[in-house]
Amino acid sequence: MKLKYSLFTRRQFLNGLFGGWLGALMVSFLYPVIKFVFPPTREPDQVILPFLDFKDMKPNSVKVFSWGSKPGFVKKNKNGSYWAFVAVCTHLDCNVTYIPEQRKFFCACHDGWYDENGTNIGGPPPRPLRRLILIIEGEDLIIKREGVK
Amino acid sequence: MNLLGKKKRAQSWFDERFGISGIVKFLREKKIPQHKHSLWYYTGSAIMLFFVIQVITGFMLVFYYNPTLAEANKSVGRIMTEIPMGWIIRSIHSWSSSFMIAFVFIHLLSIWITKAYRKPRELTWMSGVFLLCVTLAFGFTGYLLPWDDLSLSATKVGTDIPRSIPIVGVWVTKLLRGGEDVTGDTLTRFFGFHVCILPVFIFILLAVHVYLIQKQGMSLPLAVESKKEKIQELPFWPNFVYRESVVWLILLGILFTVAIFLPPSLDKSADLMAPAPEGIRPEWYFLFLFQALKIFPAKILFINGDTFIVILILVEFLLFFFLPFLDNKPAEMKGKFITFLAYVTIVYAVVMTVWSLL
């Protein structure tokens, strides 16, 4: 079927084509730029530490380990069991500390408090500290993200 | 031919190619109005003074500073202890940044209160708001560079705040940090912002800002403008420039005095695994925000306290940015209310800042 009138002029058509081409060119330039500025950083699936280092911990104390570029805490509970946390405040990402006398985690940046189970109990933190899965296998202490097999 | 004739010839040779005479003529004829609010006209050039000092001392510091995880703190220590006059250069750079920001705030509030952003100066105001953002970004990125415990925690918090912005927030945080967390990459990136990217922006924005001011001339306060009688004027060159240079000399005297007697400290190198030290705080100009983050509860109306603050800041920023358009009836009740808001802002900022120091 032939239209009686064209929907746009030849000039409009060519301008659209040219503009579209320029746009596509820009996107193809921008894509690598954006890829470049976001480096691939993934937190580790798991870290394996020698259990020997943690064997002699006193109950109700923590020991720091490297969870990627963040600190993690291995905590020995009063009953002798071990837990692992990401030692970073859920409010605005400051590193927390453990105060054994009060049995609480504390973030100095904006006065955030967590109880000994990592539950947020005071100040601005919106969520509990992140727990990690901790498995003791012979000589090894294996710390995993949740959901990793 | 005598020397004077040669000078004239050289001038006209240059002018034929460069066309400088128009600018010279403009500056010769530029007039600064005199009235009881004229004092505020000096704040702009005070900012410029501190900016030039920042550029010069920044060039010097960059000769010795190393923007890497292992070396940053050490290199600042070296500047402070080994490099001849290094301590005073860093001290001036650090103090001058505070002075510059203080004068940016004074400049901004004076314009808000005298309503100098009225038509046709809306774009001057808007370029000024961008300049404010870039200046604060300079302060924020510069604060990390010594890489001690204090600066690390401040950066962790500061770069985590955008995360609460809906949709794009996570990417903004990643872009600022160069990854999920604050690491050595963040330090190098912040150095890049501080010495490459932000300078480009500030020079472009300054050019626009200063051009607009020259194009439109000095703004008159409403009360002065509505009077019928002729306003006294002062020639920009040389009268006003001489007066400005008196102000500059006084400010330089104050700057050098505090820089000599109160040099900035340098703590031990930051440890990414160490808990945040007690008593951390950002630079003084972010204290009001710091205090707000501290006192806001974890949940407000089903959303996170910090998401609430971030949304509040974004809304306030937009209102602030479009202030010249919102304040379209400056002489009426609405205009008076907007001026009143400036005083509210001052009281709010001062109260929060003092509270954070208690």
Side-chain angles (χ1 to χ4, degrees), chain A residues 78-139:
Chain A
K78 266 173 86 183
N79 61 9
S81 63
Y82 288 89
W83 281 359
F85 293 98
V86 177
V88 165
C89 185
T90 53
H91 177 224
L92 287 172
D93 216 28
C94 283
N95 298 349
V96 297
T97 184
Y98 185 67
I99 307 174
E101 301 84 52
Q102 301 188 33
R103 294 213 237 130
K104 280 175 190 158
F105 293 94
F106 172 60
C107 175
C109 284
H110 305 100
D111 291 343
W113 292 91
Y114 304 85
D115 70 7
E116 60 180 330
N117 303 321
T119 312
N120 47 326
I121 50 170
R127 286 182 303 278
L129 288 177
R130 219 176 110 209
R131 276 283 292 277
L132 298 165
I133 296 166
L134 184 148
I135 303 162
I136 300 165
E137 251 180 35
E139 299 281 287

Side-chain angles (χ1 to χ4, degrees), chain A residues 37-39 41 64-66 68-71 88 91-97 106 108-111 123-127, chain B residues 156-157 160-161 171 174-175 177-181 183 189 272-278 280 290 293-294 296 298 304 306:
Chain A
V37 297
F38 294 104
T41 48
V64 72
F65 67 94
S66 295
S69 45
K70 294 189 198 46
V88 165
H91 177 224
L92 287 172
D93 216 28
C94 283
N95 298 349
V96 297
T97 184
F106 172 60
C109 284
H110 305 100
D111 291 343
R127 286 182 303 278
Chain B
K156 279 187 139 223
V157 172
D160 207 54
I161 292 172
W171 293 99
K174 270 192 189 172
L175 177 70
R177 288 181 171 179
E180 278 295 334
D181 301 306
T183 58
R189 191 166 283 222
L272 288 171
M273 296 296 150
E278 290 210 31
I280 81 139
F290 169 74
L293 288 168
K294 216 168 180 168
F296 263 57
N304 275 350
D306 30 320

Side-chain angles (χ1 to χ4, degrees), chain B residues 86-102:
Chain B
W87 68 277
I88 187 76
I89 300 299
R90 175 173 176 238
S91 185
I92 290 171
H93 194 73
S94 157
W95 275 105
S96 175
S97 75
S98 280
F99 277 52
M100 180 172 161
I101 287 172

Side-chain angles (χ1 to χ4, degrees), chain B residues 215-246:
Chain B
K215 177 157 167 50
Q216 288 153 357
M218 304 310 286
S219 145
L220 285 173
L222 263 182
V224 181
E225 199 181 47
S226 56
K227 277 185 198 150
K228 286 281 175 287
E229 69 240 44
K230 183 135 171 37
I231 304 144
Q232 278 202 322
E233 285 180 324
L234 200 68
F236 174 73
W237 177 262
N239 306 43
F240 187 70
V241 174
Y242 282 160
R243 289 190 184 192
E244 277 185 317
S245 41
V246 173

Side-chain angles (χ1 to χ4, degrees), chain B residues 42-57 92 96-97 99-100 103 206 244-256:
Chain B
Y42 294 85
T43 53
S45 73
I47 297 169
M48 201 66 109
L49 168 76
F50 293 119
F51 175 66
V52 170
I53 292 172
Q54 288 308 87
V55 173
I56 296 169
T57 50
I92 290 171
S96 175
S97 75
F99 277 52
M100 180 172 161
F103 271 92
L206 261 182
E244 277 185 317
S245 41
V246 173
V247 176
W248 293 338
L249 283 175
I250 294 168
L251 290 175
L252 276 178
I254 298 170
L255 173 69
F256 291 158

